[in-house]
Amino acid sequence: MLSISTKVERIVTESPFLSEGLRRGLINLSELARQLQPQLQNDLWKPVGQAAVVMALRRVAERLPDKESQELVLAQQSGQLTARTDLVEFTFRRSDRIDDCHRLLLERVGTGHGLYLTVTRGSEEVMVVCSRPFIGIVEQLFANERLLARLENLNAVTLQLTADSWRTPGIYHAILKKLAWDKVNLINLISTHTELTLLIEKEHTGAAFSVLSNMIAHKH
């Protein structure tokens, strides 16, 4: 069974707003403890005193860094931030035939003349994100597959990282936390060794681009 301190720490670390607020000393611990009591009592199946929650919050706050410890490890080159517009995301149930659909899609699309295409294979699902001109090809090749979801009017913002960025603990968390602070709704995240691509709704593109641009400017 989880202890009060462990559960409180989990709640704080899962919320960028709480962790940032505690780190900056902006949150009244007694009031936050009072608000967390019902959730804690429900999750822990036992009475939870406000004083115990305050103590747990104080311990969590003391372990938070005084400032952002995670910095973006950016590639030292131009074009660190790029955007692609008018994308569509398809999600299909994975089947025995879907690998053939993937292969035929790559053959039909070819280089794509600067258009966007990515295919992500999960254990039970396959996701295809593509530029609008490829929609007809995807619909044709995957016509016999079970479509689970289709999202349109999406844009992608890609951030270029260095080859050793994987050595930086929490690098993705630092980026996603800043996006959450600005209420940017992230649809999906696609990463390769040196590229982090954020798939977002069209109306949030400007805000996401602004957040990431500011992070790059601050780093330099």
Side-chain angles (χ1 to χ4, degrees):
M1 180 178 292
L2 292 177
S3 66
I4 295 175
S5 59
T6 300
K7 184 61 181 179
V8 168
E9 182 173 3
R10 181 174 297 179
I11 292 173
V12 170
T13 55
E14 288 177 352
S15 170
F17 308 104
L18 287 181
S19 59
E20 187 72 3
L22 287 176
R23 183 178 70 81
R24 297 186 181 188
L26 303 177
I27 296 179
N28 183 304
L29 297 185
S30 295
E31 177 60 23
L32 178 58
R34 186 185 65 79
Q35 294 186 27
L36 292 180
Q37 271 183 284
Q39 178 183 347
L40 291 169
Q41 291 179 154
N42 182 66
D43 292 346
L44 299 176
W45 291 76
K46 65 179 181 181
V48 174
Q50 184 174 341
V53 181
V54 169
M55 183 177 298
L57 287 170
R58 186 173 291 114
R59 288 173 178 170
V60 172
E62 289 173 351
R63 290 198 298 271
L64 293 173
D66 293 334
K67 59 181 180 179
E68 277 297 346
S69 59
Q70 312 302 341
E71 293 184 336
L72 286 181
V73 186
L74 302 173
Q76 301 299 316
Q77 62 182 49
S78 60
Q80 292 170 340
L81 199 59
T82 58
R84 293 181 175 88
T85 61
D86 207 13
L87 306 179
V88 179
E89 177 190 290
F90 298 88
T91 301
F92 300 97
R93 176 68 64 188
R94 188 167 179 178
S95 70
D96 295 335
R97 307 174 303 275
I98 208 161
D99 287 345
D100 291 332
C101 299
H102 182 192
R103 177 179 54 79
L104 292 172
L105 176 62
L106 295 179
E107 290 177 358
R108 289 279 298 275
V109 168
T111 59
H113 304 291
L115 298 177
Y116 187 79
L117 173 69
T118 183
V119 179
T120 303
R121 296 169 55 183
S123 58
E124 299 294 336
E125 299 176 349
V126 172
M127 181 185 73
V128 179
V129 181
C130 65
S131 297
R132 186 161 295 277
F134 293 151
I135 290 179
I137 299 176
V138 173
E139 291 177 334
Q140 177 186 0
L141 295 178
F142 290 78
N144 295 323
E145 302 303 316
R146 181 183 174 189
L147 179 65
L148 301 178
R150 173 172 173 161
L151 303 177
E152 302 202 30
N153 298 316
L154 304 178
N155 290 343
V157 179
T158 299
L159 184 65
Q160 190 77 30
L161 305 174
T162 62
D164 61 350
S165 61
W166 61 273
R167 297 179 182 274
T168 305
I171 183 171
Y172 290 168
H173 172 72
I175 298 170
L176 299 181
K177 183 171 70 173
K178 289 186 181 295
L179 291 172
W181 266 105
D182 280 51
K183 296 182 173 59
V184 175
N185 184 33
L186 182 65
I187 301 299
N188 220 315
L189 184 152
I190 305 165
S191 66
T192 60
H193 187 52
T194 60
E195 292 183 356
L196 174 64
T197 298
L198 307 174
L199 200 62
I200 53 184
E201 293 175 292
K202 184 177 181 179
E203 59 266 30
H204 290 162
T205 305
F209 208 89
S210 176
V211 169
L212 296 174
S213 296
N214 288 335
M215 295 177 76
I216 292 174
H218 176 73
K219 172 64 177 176
H220 293 292

